[in-house]
Amino acid sequence: MLESVRDLLPIIAVIAFFQLLILRQPIPDFGGLVIGTILVILGLTLFIHGLKVGLFPIGESMAHDFARKGSLLWLLAFAFALGFGTTVAEPALIAVADEAAKVAATGGMIEKSEAAMQSYADGLRLTVALSVGLAIVIGVLRIIKGWPIQYLIIGGYIGVVIMTFFAPPEIIGIAYDSGGVTTSTITVPLVTALGVGLASSIQGRNPLTDGFGLIAFASLTPMIFVMGYGMIL
Amino acid sequence: MSYFSHFFGSLLSTLRDVLPIAIILFGFQLVILRKRIPNLRQILIGFVFVLLGLAFFLEGLEQALFPLGKLMAEQLTAPDFLGTTGGGDGDWAHYLWVYVFAFAIGFSTTIAEPSLIAVAIKANQVSGGAIGTWGLRIAVAIGVAVGISLGAYRIVTGTPLHYYIIVGYILVVIQTVFCPKTIIALAYDSGGVTTSTVTVPLVAALGLGLANNIPGRNPLLDGFGLIAFASLFPIMSVMGYAQLSEWRARRNKRSRADNERN
């Protein structure tokens, strides 16, 4: 509880400073603000506790079990399902996809009708979810084979830069942002536990150097795929 | 009464987020692995905690911090406050408080970001305490803060996003060559974890506010890109943090060796 208070102190300080000293505006609905802050602190405390007793243990125990079972195919299927399933319903992604459809309609890339925009947004969401599924698969393969992460990521950067030159300019900002919004609060701890669990149950892998990196792939591939989506449509 | 119904809505939407994940996890566990889950009861309780915690967290953010943060972003970018009523000359120096706000809000929301806390806990565990949870979180937060201020500057000046990103990539590649190999994967990861529940809505409000109010900017085209900055700069700051701690450790060792010789 105390830790959560400390985690939130900076935000409270920033808001108070700007509100009182720079903008000099009264704070609207002060009571609601206090209740809201208490809810946030309570929520963060519960979440971190749940993380330690629930999400981390199950992520790691499943990683161990998959490593012991030795079936690469099922492990990769699990990795894909986790990446795809957690991304396709992600609220931040839904918001970005709707925004992107508006941009595309304004730019004249698609028709300016409700149906065309909806199908564009749905297609974009599916594209991003597929790319995150693929990213987790590549990341898991990397942990198993022990490939150094930097070559893969630098290769991905080169891919992003090349795509940037060919993609329609309207889509670039959204594509770059989509890398950041895909990884949600529940996905990150699970995927991290999966990576670290795998790296610690495979001989010769170091959980620190090999276990991390799954999130990095998940925030790189959507950029390439979204620009690709913009080019095809 | 409306509090309760609103909270119930948050709880339902969190449930909708967690449900597919729970189905995938338990589905694979039961059908493919065919093993009883150790400590099943404890894990289920953990899931309930996560669910409730996230619902409270989001509810509180939506009730208190988001409206105020968005209002502040609007006020700071309003023509009256900026003194650009009636056109404005687009001079970037007018927007000093915007950069300060961007820096402060980037730093403070990142410190409260639950997924970063999760990664920091894991990194601390795995490194046997060598990577401090607060050290990592502060390094990431500084990266996000610098990234968002630079992103705000980009919106103000209207320079194309991809130049910044490409230069950023080149810097990341150069740093990768020189920084300690153990930190690389974690540094790359920290780019993705910084931008979720707390940061994205506030930062998006800032970006749209700026793009709406600065003459010559189109919110649809220029409002994006802040999140991309916020996921690129932490990579650099975490590698920088690792380089700095390595350099300090080496210097300490050298000075200790010198002392022993004397």
Side-chain angles (χ1 to χ4, degrees), chain B residues 50 123 125 175:
Chain B
V50 164
Q125 255 173 33
Q175 267 189 302

Side-chain angles (χ1 to χ4, degrees), chain A residues 55-56 58-59 82 86 186-195, chain B residues 21 25:
Chain A
L55 286 185
F56 279 159
I58 192 163
L82 200 62
T86 53
I186 306 166
T187 322
V188 167
L190 260 180
V191 165
T192 307
L194 175 74
Chain B
I21 298 172
L25 287 180

Side-chain angles (χ1 to χ4, degrees), chain A residues 6-8 10-11 14-15 17-19 22-23 25 27-28 32-33 35-37 39-40 42-44 46-58 60-62 65-66 68-69 74 77-78 81-82 85-86 89 91 99 102-103 106 149-150 153-154 157 160-161 164 170 172-174 176-177 180-181 183 185-186 188-190 192-193 196 207-209 212-216 219 223, chain B residues 3 17-18 20-21 24-26 28-29 32-33 35 37-38 42-43 46-47 49-50 52-54 56-57 59-61 63-65 68 71-72 75-76 81 97 100-101 104-105 108-109 111-112 114-115 117-119 121-123 125-127 131 134 137 161-162 165-166 169 172-173 176 181-182 184-186 188-189 192-193 195-198 200 220-221 224-228 231-232 235:
Chain A
R6 213 170 41 187
D7 294 336
L8 279 169
I11 297 192
V14 167
I15 288 184
F17 173 78
F18 275 89
Q19 200 71 29
I22 310 301
L23 294 163
Q25 307 268 356
I27 293 176
L33 185 67
I35 295 175
T37 310
L39 281 180
V40 171
L42 190 68
L44 197 58
L46 291 175
F47 177 79
I48 300 291
H49 180 72
L51 209 68
K52 287 179 181 160
V53 302
L55 286 185
F56 279 159
I58 192 163
E60 276 182 33
S61 93
M62 287 186 81
D65 288 347
F66 270 116
R68 202 169 312 134
K69 193 177 162 71
W74 279 119
F78 175 67
L82 200 62
T86 53
E99 205 62 37
K102 263 187 240 160
V103 173
T106 321
I149 188 168
Q150 55 269 39
I153 296 287
I154 291 172
Y157 283 171
V160 170
V161 172
T164 304
E170 293 87 2
I172 291 176
I174 296 163
Y176 283 1
D177 273 2
V181 296
T183 42
T185 316
I186 306 166
V188 167
L190 260 180
T192 307
V196 169
L208 183 60
T209 39
F212 289 95
L214 289 177
I215 312 285
S219 32
M223 294 196 230
Chain B
Y3 264 166
D17 290 351
V18 177
I21 298 172
I24 292 168
L25 287 180
F26 292 107
F28 271 88
Q29 185 76 40
I32 310 301
L33 292 170
K35 250 188 70 182
I37 301 167
Q42 187 208 331
I43 283 173
F47 264 88
F49 268 106
V50 164
L52 280 177
L54 217 51
F56 276 128
F57 189 72
E59 177 68 20
L61 285 179
Q63 228 179 66
L65 294 173
L68 195 58
L71 186 70
M72 286 166 69
Q75 285 171 346
L76 278 170
F81 180 81
W97 282 118
V100 176
F101 180 70
I105 208 81
S108 57
T109 53
I111 291 290
S115 40
I117 300 178
V119 168
I121 291 173
K122 256 287 83 83
Q125 255 173 33
V126 162
S127 67
I131 299 168
W134 277 96
R137 283 168 66 192
L161 172 66
H162 54 270
I165 300 292
I166 292 171
Y169 281 171
V172 167
V173 172
T176 304
K181 294 289 159 279
T182 43
I184 292 176
L186 182 63
Y188 287 162
D189 262 5
V193 298
T195 44
S196 50
T197 339
V198 199
V200 171
L220 284 179
L221 299 184
F224 291 97
L226 283 180
I227 296 171
S231 19
L232 183 59
I235 304 181

Side-chain angles (χ1 to χ4, degrees), chain A residues 71-125:
Chain A
S71 159
L72 183 63
L73 202 66
W74 279 119
L75 174 59
L76 294 182
F78 175 67
F80 183 84
L82 200 62
F84 184 87
T86 53
T87 309
V88 79
E90 168 68 25
L93 177 62
I94 296 174
V96 166
D98 290 343
E99 205 62 37
K102 263 187 240 160
V103 173
T106 321
M109 285 147 69
I110 54 169
E111 255 181 83
K112 222 173 179 164
S113 70
E114 196 72 26
M117 275 162 68
Q118 191 58 48
S119 82
Y120 184 87
D122 288 344
L124 192 67
R125 256 173 68 195

